[in-house]
Each structure stands twice: as structure tokens, then as C-alpha cells.
Amino acid sequence: MDRFVIEGGKELNGSVVASGAKNAVLPILAGCVMAEGTSIIHNVPDLQDVRTMIKILEYLGAKIKFKGGTIELDAKNINRYDAPYEFVKTMRASIALLGPLIARFGKARFSLPGGCVIGPRPIDLHIKGLQKLGVDIKIEDGYIVADAKNGLKGNYIFLGGSFGSSVLATANVMCAATLAKGTTVIEFAACEPEITDLANFLVKMGAKISGIGSPCLTIFGTKKLKATQHKVIPDRIETGTFLLAGAITGGCVSVEKCQPLHLGAFFEKLIDTGVEVITGKNFVTVKGRKNWKSTDVVTLPYPGFPTDLQAQMMAFLTLADGVSVITEKVFPERFIHAAELNRFGASINLDGSKAIVKGVKKLFGARVMASDLRASAALVLAGLAAEGTTYVSRIYHLFRGYENFEEKLRSLGAEIKREKDIT
Ligand code: UD1
């Protein structure tokens, strides 16, 4: 296993280019299953999660070439519709294949994903939505066994849950509905830009969807989808992470080829702290400062503050003047990083789904352990701002979702290297 060694306290300056969005490309690759031809997807980030999705698709029978950020996916010979435990446990997002496989084969056999470190991860909304389309679903030996014997039929589906909309349940039900007989209305659909990107991709495949980007999607079922080409949107979470790397070190960092319109709630909070945010059509610059103010953050489904930037924002707020309250309304238990951040000298107390962050004057280099993808990024941010040396172990989590992470940080002036973790 590798770890990062970071010499903190260096101001980060310069610009990086945003990679393609992980959370858009995964359901898009899953969606390719529904066309019996070769789909071409551009702006694909080279991430561990993308490699895992490729492995699963190859297991199902797809032929895939991945070169220079482009994937060519020939789905013609896909002849399996099962996803064993080994795949699902490595990457929860493999559940995005459920809807597309049912649409193509009328059935699927999928290992049930368990919980994960960010809390329980139920799939009741996926199941409910697919059942409404006429899929018979049984749970057998830890597997979801789905069968649409009588074909998929359009329906009215209210897809809201206790925590609001669900991104991947929306992806699954929307995909399945494109090949259903008749019209489907999804009420309380997720509005995340990655769902919009998937919907735009499906439309290029020949799907008929209206209300794209809104919480009410109408899908007019069609008989066939064709392979197409698509360029994946930029990764808003990666963009936010690099902007925070600039802000937490008091530097000036730009992210190019990004989509600032996807980060409104995040910018509002940065501006609250006193950081300057300059946006253009496809770039953002953040001008950090020596001292910044505390602010309260509530994570919500899009267009609210993204839960996937909560840990990184927490790292930033550990050094703010004053007390910040972070309320996690998407994954109420997603706070494992708080204890690790306290190892840097931060002062964070948890109270249910709230984290109370008392700003401290300084962070100090520490030995910390990454627990999940975004928590890993938060620990790196803290390490960049801390005085002295930081060791972040278990960084394999990070490579699931950040392309060329340390290279990009080094290009901004960070002192970060990867080495074998022998501890
Ligand atoms: C996706 C993202 C993940 C992000 C999350 C929330 C991908 C690959 N992953 O995950 O990075 O953190 O959205 O923005 O796109 N829920 C239910 N029942 C369900 C499904 C979800 O109650 O059937 C709950 C979840 O426990 C959570 C909330 O709904 O509290 C949102 O989860 P969801 O949007 O489904 O997350 P994912 O789609 O798994």
C-alpha cells in the first residue's frame, strides 16, 4: 500500500485542468449496455472506479478500448446480466448497471451492496422504482434477482426518500424507463448535473426524455436505443477540491475547463468566509487570504451544498476565525474524517448529524488514515496547510475518484510524494 508524504505550509498557486466527472461517467458507461453497437465516450478520467466499471462490463461481455481519455465500448456481445459480490463490494456505483441490464435483458442478478463507511446505503428507492415499471424483484442469498417477465411498462413513480432524491436510483429508473412501453413520470428525481449528463447521453441514444435537469422527468418509452458519442461533463467535486487547496494554503488557484454553474452553493460558502471567487464561462479562480471567517454549511441534494465536498470544506473551516456548524443532511453519519482532522490539532466535535468546528490558529503535520474517497482529499488538504510533515495512509481510496491527484497538486507548488507505506 502507498501513502502520501506532505511537507505542509506551502502556498499553492497556478492552474489545473478539470477532469471528466466520475459520477457522470459511471452511469453513462452503464447506459451503453442498452445499445447494441459501439458507443464512444470522451473526457473519461483514468480512475480506479472507471477501471472497475470496465472490468465489470468486460465480465458481462463488452469489448472496451480505453485510450487518451476516450472509451470505445462495443456492447454487442454482452450476454450476462449478473454482478457478483466481488464487483459490487469494490464499487457501490456498479448498482448503476441494474436498470440498463433489466432494460436490455428483461432481467438481472445483482449482489446487494452493503453499507459503507459513510453510513447505511439502502437501495429501497431503486427497487421501488423498478417494481413500478413492472419488474418482479426478490432478494435471494444476498442477491437482488430482478425479472420483468411481462416487459417494462411506464408508470408514475414518486422517487423521494427520507433523505430526498437519490442520484443512482434516478439513473437506474430513468435508464429502464427509456425502453419501457408507454410513458414514465419520475417525481422527485435527482437534479444533479451528472443525472442531467446521463439524460443528455440517453437522448443522443434515441431516448425521449423531457424535464431534464428538473425534479420531474417524463420518459416516453422507445423500442430501441442506438450507440452514440458523448463528452462527459467536468468533475465539480474535483474542481471544488482544488479550489479549496488554494484557499486553505492562502494561495491563488484556478481550475480550467470546469463548469462553474454547477458549484453555486459551494461558491456562496467560500465567499461567506471572505475568500474571493472569480468565475468565467469555463474557469474559476479562488484568491485565498491569510485569515478567513467561519460559516455554517448544510449539505443537501443538488443544487444544495454537495455532500461530496463536505469533508474538504470541513478541513478548510478548521482554520477559520470562529465556530462553523456543518450539518450533513444527505449521509448523516459521514463524519469519519472529523477524528482524523483532530489529529492535526483541529477542534471538531460531533453531535449527531452536526459537526461543530472551532477554528484553530494552526494545524500541525500528523500521521492520518484515509477512510473513504472524499475524506482522503480532506486529509491531504489539511496536510497541505499544516506546519511540518503529514503522512496519509490508505490513499488507494483517493485514486478511486481523483485523476493525477498528486501531479496536479505538485504543479501548483505542493510538496507531496507517494511512497510505500511500510508502517
Ligand atoms: C451518489 C454519488 C455519491 C454522492 C451521493 C449523494 C455516484 C456514483 N455516487 O451516490 O458520490 O455522495 O450520490 O450526492 O453518483 N437512499 C435511500 N434509499 C435508496 C437510495 C438512497 O434512502 O434507495 C438515501 C441514501 O442513504 C442517502 C440519500 O438517499 O441518504 C442520497 O443517496 P444517493 O443519492 O442514492 O447516493 P448514491 O446515488 O448512492
Side-chain angles (χ1 to χ4, degrees), residues 22 25-26 29 45-56 66 87 90-91 373 395-404 418:
K22 168 180 95 70
V25 75
L26 296 174
L29 289 174
D46 194 352
L47 304 171
Q48 200 48 52
D49 272 9
V50 169
R51 296 277 170 186
T52 305
M53 186 55 109
I54 291 175
K55 254 197 208 144
I56 306 173
F66 183 16
F87 291 137
T90 352
M91 190 182 68
L373 168 57
I395 52 171
Y396 56 87
H397 291 293
L398 212 132
F399 304 118
R400 285 190 36 225
Y402 288 96
E403 184 179 49
N404 298 331
R418 205 193 298 199

Side-chain angles (χ1 to χ4, degrees), residues 46-209:
D46 194 352
L47 304 171
Q48 200 48 52
D49 272 9
V50 169
R51 296 277 170 186
T52 305
M53 186 55 109
I54 291 175
K55 254 197 208 144
I56 306 173
L57 288 160
E58 284 174 339
Y59 165 84
L60 297 173
K63 289 215 168 56
I64 299 179
K65 284 188 206 143
F66 183 16
K67 215 175 153 199
T70 295
I71 283 188
E72 286 182 30
L73 191 159
D74 180 357
K76 191 161 145 237
N77 295 322
I78 291 187
N79 55 3
R80 303 188 68 119
Y81 40 82
D82 63 309
Y85 180 62
E86 297 77 74
F87 291 137
V88 180
K89 78 163 193 241
T90 352
M91 190 182 68
R92 234 192 145 274
S94 51
I95 192 81
L97 277 158
L98 184 61
L101 284 174
I102 295 173
R104 172 143 175 195
F105 295 104
K107 45 185 156 186
R109 190 170 182 276
F110 241 81
S111 171
L112 269 173
C116 70
V117 288
I118 70 175
R121 305 283 295 265
I123 55 156
D124 54 305
L125 296 172
H126 301 245
I127 293 179
K128 172 184 156 184
L130 293 167
Q131 279 172 333
K132 286 263 182 184
L133 292 176
V135 186
D136 177 45
I137 296 183
K138 290 194 187 79
I139 308 293
E140 282 172 6
D141 305 327
Y143 277 75
I144 308 164
V145 183
D147 197 349
K149 276 193 258 345
N150 304 316
L152 293 166
K153 285 191 200 68
N155 204 345
Y156 170 86
I157 303 166
F158 181 84
L159 209 55
S162 324
F163 298 97
S165 52
S166 160
V167 175
L168 289 179
T170 303
N172 265 328
V173 178
M174 178 169 65
C175 283
T178 60
L179 288 173
K181 222 184 212 167
T183 303
T184 298
V185 174
I186 306 178
E187 197 88 71
F188 223 132
C191 301
E192 269 67 6
E194 294 76 19
I195 289 296
T196 298
D197 202 30
L198 171 65
N200 289 333
F201 169 66
L202 294 171
V203 167
K204 286 188 198 164
M205 289 172 89
K208 297 188 181 73
I209 308 173

